[in-house]
Amino acid sequence: MSKKPQHAKHAAEKTSSLKITWPKKSKDREYETEVESVEYSSENEPEAGKSVRNISSFAKHNSHADSILDNILLIRLVIASVIFAVSLIIKMPNFARIILLVLVSAAAGYDIFLNAVSLVQKGEYFATSVVVCFVTIASFFIGFGVEGAALILLYQIGLLLIKFTIEKTRKSAQDLLRYQDEETVRRYSELIKQDNVGHMEIEDTMRYSSGSILKLAMVFAVIYAIALPLVTSYGFIVSVHRALMIILIATPVSVVAAMPVTGIVGLCYSAQQGVLFKDAEALEKAGRTNVAVIDKAGVFTEETPHVVSVSSDIIDRDTFMNFASHALYYSEQPLAKAVAAINNQEYRLELISDFTDIPGCGVELKIGGAPVTLAIRDFFIKRGVQPPQDNNEDTNGQVFYMTVSDRFVGKIILSDDINSEAFDLSSGINDLCLNRCILVTEDGEEESQRFAYELSLNEVVSGCDTEKKLKLINDLKQDRSNHVLYVYSNGFQSHSQADVDMRVGKKAKFADAQVKPDYVANIPFAIQVSRRTKEVAISNALFAFIVKSILIFLSIIGYCNIWFAIFIDMAAALATVLNSIRVTSESLVKKYKR
């Protein structure tokens, strides 16, 4: 004797579906989550961008040690500011003023200088702190000590303000989760403290571009410093001063400072809608989706159907169910789980032989030597056999007929309960204007076509077991222009070849995103949030580039100085961080029709 098959152990478990006004609020239900940590490697990151990453690090911002360091830094900045003011207001010999300005630079930014030395030793010659220190020292040598001291002072103040603004924006992002359950709040509170959780691929692109621009700016600055005195009446001190400003402005601080926090805001906003991405990079990939593959079971319908009725005019119900449960013992189809859930008889596996599983259609085998077929109507018709017609047949369910020794002995009708979110989900997916949206089912062709028509989905692949679903995704990925999103509920414990695996359920160990069962209708909105997040990140970068372009132009024509350049650049960085919260502006997120 044998117990129930392994796959049927939890067949009776059901997840209730409750209709809720969108966007959804929290449920009094805790969801277990399993999230794999993702590490970001900066091995190939341009040198110009490496030190900027420290600005947006979220790890341990609330620690007591951090608070002490911030207080010490504030004291240093106050002392440096007082000394700087004294050097400007009080009359004194030039050498005394230079000593005071050096003290200002040391008090305000000795840690920046130490960091720059460390970076140079590692060969990172174009890091932002290295450039800032180089411009500061060069300013003293060409007689612009006031601007050099102002540069390091304003740069340090700017870094502190950016850190403070990022922390406030991060807390605002956390506040988006106030309607979610305690487990989600706890999970995301820990998640957004990780250094690279807000990292997006667009950030790498911008860092690379900024690094290239900085190198080009340095080449241009050198040529400009040499050429200006040769073609105008300006001396080399003026040309070098302007060249230093060009190099300083070309640093990528304001371009990329806001990108990690933008990713975090997008993550929290999506989580507010019940779609939980493991990091901002996964969120970004979802926004590029142009092909969606969506499983029927557990997404549009309940994960496991249930038996509506069992009928037989030939044998009694217990005998019929005994044959059916043995016939489906080795099957992985939803029908097998539904039958196993109501079977109360022991299995005699030695009676089963010649088993054949036909996904989407049924099974064929022998029980005690007698041929048994349990399949849908289409399967029998294609073999030239007409199942008995019942005018009272429940057309809303899926009907499976059983033959024993080529004689029809009865039928099983399964539920086909479409969950309360299915129509909103299909409508939202259609309004995303994807290239393709493919429904995959384990049902037969006729049933699958009927279901797809009911949900207004124009592409369906029937008779899909797990292997066939994964092969479909692999085939789609052969075209590099396809960015595939796979939405599923069960079937395998790994990651498919899709760009984004999105699992509906309580656990999502191998998936890129978890969707709570009551929130599946918000999947399209989460994709729109992803697109909006990238738009905000790009608009922030473009704004910073425009500001830098204007400052470089003003530097070239002589209407800018070093302290003004760094002040405006840091102000632009602060503006981009503050602008990140606009990801949550629903009027700016393109809503799909409900």
Side-chain angles (χ1 to χ4, degrees):
M1 297 293 182
S2 173
K3 295 182 179 181
K4 287 187 177 182
Q6 191 71 20
H7 70 270
K9 282 186 177 179
H10 303 290
E13 292 182 3
K14 304 282 287 182
T15 301
S16 63
S17 181
L18 181 63
K19 184 66 178 179
I20 298 175
T21 304
W22 177 93
K24 304 282 172 50
K25 304 304 181 185
S26 64
K27 297 282 184 299
D28 295 328
R29 176 188 300 172
E30 292 187 359
Y31 290 83
E32 297 179 21
T33 56
E34 298 180 34
V35 186
E36 296 177 316
S37 61
V38 178
E39 295 184 359
Y40 171 74
S41 173
S42 61
E43 181 178 351
N44 298 318
E45 183 179 338
E47 291 175 338
K50 288 184 178 179
S51 66
V52 184
R53 185 175 297 281
N54 294 329
I55 296 174
S56 52
S57 172
F58 294 94
K60 302 178 183 178
H61 271 326
N62 295 323
S63 68
H64 180 62
D66 242 18
S67 178
I68 293 175
L69 290 175
D70 286 345
N71 290 335
I72 293 174
L73 178 58
L74 284 172
I75 294 172
R76 285 167 45 200
L77 291 176
V78 170
I79 294 173
S81 299
V82 171
I83 297 174
F84 185 68
V86 170
S87 68
L88 296 180
I89 297 172
I90 299 177
K91 291 184 179 181
M92 62 184 71
N94 191 49
F95 76 90
R97 178 172 284 107
I98 292 176
I99 292 174
L100 288 180
L101 293 175
V102 170
L103 288 175
V104 169
S105 302
Y110 74 87
D111 51 337
I112 297 175
F113 284 101
L114 292 176
N115 182 51
V117 171
S118 175
L119 291 170
V120 170
Q121 290 174 345
K122 295 177 182 178
E124 299 176 17
Y125 305 111
F126 299 101
T128 302
S129 58
V130 174
V131 173
V132 169
C133 291
F134 168 75
V135 173
T136 299
I137 295 171
S139 298
F140 276 93
F141 275 102
I142 63 173
F144 288 86
V146 173
E147 291 189 27
L151 165 60
I152 203 71
L153 180 60
L154 290 173
Y155 179 69
Q156 187 72 281
I157 292 173
L159 291 182
L160 186 62
L161 289 175
I162 290 174
K163 177 182 176 181
F164 175 79
T165 306
I166 286 176
E167 178 65 14
K168 288 298 183 183
T169 306
R170 182 182 66 82
K171 289 180 179 179
S172 297
Q174 282 183 273
D175 288 342
L176 293 171
L177 302 173
R178 61 186 179 275
Y179 297 121
Q180 275 294 348
D181 58 85
E182 183 179 348
E183 171 64 25
T184 300
V185 174
R186 184 197 62 79
R187 169 184 169 182
Y188 266 75
S189 295
E190 294 298 322
L191 184 66
I192 64 178
K193 290 179 182 179
Q194 298 177 16
D195 285 350
N196 299 315
V197 69
H199 172 263
M200 297 185 290
E201 291 180 6
I202 185 65
E203 181 181 346
D204 292 335
T205 302
M206 291 302 175
R207 287 182 186 278
Y208 181 82
S209 300
S210 299
S212 301
I213 290 172
L214 176 57
K215 293 173 183 178
L216 290 175
M218 286 184 169
V219 173
F220 173 77
V222 171
I223 296 174
Y224 179 85
I226 296 173
L228 185 64
L230 300 179
V231 297
T232 67
S233 59
Y234 292 110
F236 278 103
I237 291 180
V238 174
S239 65
V240 171
H241 178 245
R242 295 183 183 180
L244 290 175
M245 284 187 286
I246 294 171
I247 295 172
L248 177 66
I249 295 166
T251 56
V253 175
S254 58
V255 176
V256 297
M259 287 191 176
V261 74
T262 302
I264 285 176
V265 173
L267 280 175
C268 291
Y269 192 35
S270 177
Q272 183 195 61
Q273 312 302 321
V275 183
L276 315 178
F277 288 91
K278 68 179 184 181
D279 54 34
E281 195 166 334
L283 175 70
E284 181 186 22
K285 288 180 180 178
R288 294 199 293 265
T289 297
N290 57 14
V291 176
V293 178
I294 307 180
D295 210 338
K296 172 188 172 183
V299 180
F300 289 109
T301 64
E302 299 299 332
E303 184 175 326
T304 302
H306 61 274
V307 175
V308 174
S309 66
V310 176
S311 60
S312 175
D313 296 329
I314 308 298
I315 56 180
D316 62 86
R317 187 182 188 279
D318 289 343
T319 303
F320 181 90
M321 286 304 301
N322 193 22
F323 270 97
S325 58
H326 277 77
L328 295 166
Y329 182 87
Y330 292 110
S331 175
E332 294 294 332
Q333 298 181 52
L335 171 64
K337 296 180 181 180
V339 171
I342 63 172
N343 179 48
N344 57 8
Q345 303 180 60
E346 295 293 339
Y347 291 87
R348 296 181 60 187
L349 302 184
E350 70 275 10
L351 298 177
I352 301 174
S353 61
D354 300 337
F355 175 81
T356 302
D357 202 11
I358 310 169
C361 295
V363 296
E364 284 188 308
L365 72 159
K366 289 183 179 179
I367 300 178
V372 176
T373 301
L374 182 61
I376 60 176
R377 175 181 291 273
D378 285 350
F379 180 81
F380 288 105
I381 291 176
K382 288 179 181 179
R383 292 193 168 186
V385 179
Q386 184 67 41
Q389 184 68 40
D390 184 353
N391 294 330
N392 296 323
E393 194 170 276
D394 185 358
T395 56
N396 292 323
Q398 194 172 12
V399 184
F400 289 82
Y401 298 88
M402 185 165 68
T403 63
V404 178
S405 298
D406 298 325
R407 181 183 180 185
F408 284 99
V409 297
K411 64 186 178 183
I412 298 174
I413 300 179
L414 288 188
S415 67
D416 192 21
D417 296 335
I418 299 177
N419 66 43
S420 60
E421 310 296 315
F423 291 100
D424 285 342
L425 172 59
S426 62
S427 174
I429 289 289
N430 286 331
D431 287 335
L432 286 174
C433 299
L434 305 178
N435 294 344
R436 298 175 69 182
C437 179
I438 305 171
L439 174 68
V440 291
T441 81
E442 299 179 4
D443 303 331
E445 183 176 354
E446 182 179 350
E447 170 65 16
S448 299
Q449 292 289 350
R450 182 196 66 78
F451 188 88
Y453 176 79
E454 188 172 355
L455 290 179
S456 301
L457 299 172
N458 55 17
E459 192 169 355
V460 61
V461 180
S462 60
C464 287
D465 55 12
T466 299
E467 183 177 351
K468 189 173 180 180
K469 294 171 186 176
L470 295 178
K471 184 179 184 302
L472 171 64
I473 294 171
N474 290 341
D475 292 343
L476 290 170
K477 285 302 298 176
Q478 297 304 310
D479 184 347
R480 294 185 178 181
S481 64
N482 286 338
H483 298 281
V484 181
L485 167 69
Y486 179 36
V487 184
Y488 69 101
S489 178
N490 61 4
F492 68 106
Q493 295 296 325
S494 61
H495 198 293
S496 75
Q497 293 298 312
D499 297 273
V500 177
D501 273 358
M502 185 176 288
R503 183 168 185 175
V504 178
K506 298 180 180 180
K507 295 184 179 181
K509 181 177 181 180
F510 298 100
D512 301 297
Q514 172 198 0
V515 184
K516 297 182 178 181
D518 295 320
Y519 292 78
V520 293
N522 287 346
I523 291 175
F525 187 80
I527 294 175
Q528 295 287 23
V529 169
S530 170
R531 294 174 179 177
R532 176 63 184 161
T533 300
K534 187 173 182 179
E535 287 176 3
V536 170
I538 292 176
S539 65
N540 283 341
L542 290 177
F543 170 75
F545 273 124
I546 291 172
V547 171
K548 287 178 178 293
S549 299
I550 294 173
L551 289 174
I552 288 176
F553 175 74
L554 293 176
S555 299
I556 291 173
I557 63 177
Y559 282 90
C560 186
N561 55 35
I562 291 175
W563 70 263
F564 180 77
I566 194 63
F567 174 78
I568 297 299
D569 196 38
M570 300 304 279
L574 285 171
T576 58
V577 173
L578 292 171
N579 188 57
S580 298
I581 203 67
R582 291 178 68 242
V583 170
T584 64
S585 299
E586 290 192 17
S587 61
L588 300 175
V589 179
K590 300 174 183 176
K591 291 184 179 180
Y592 57 88
K593 297 177 181 178
R594 299 306 308 277

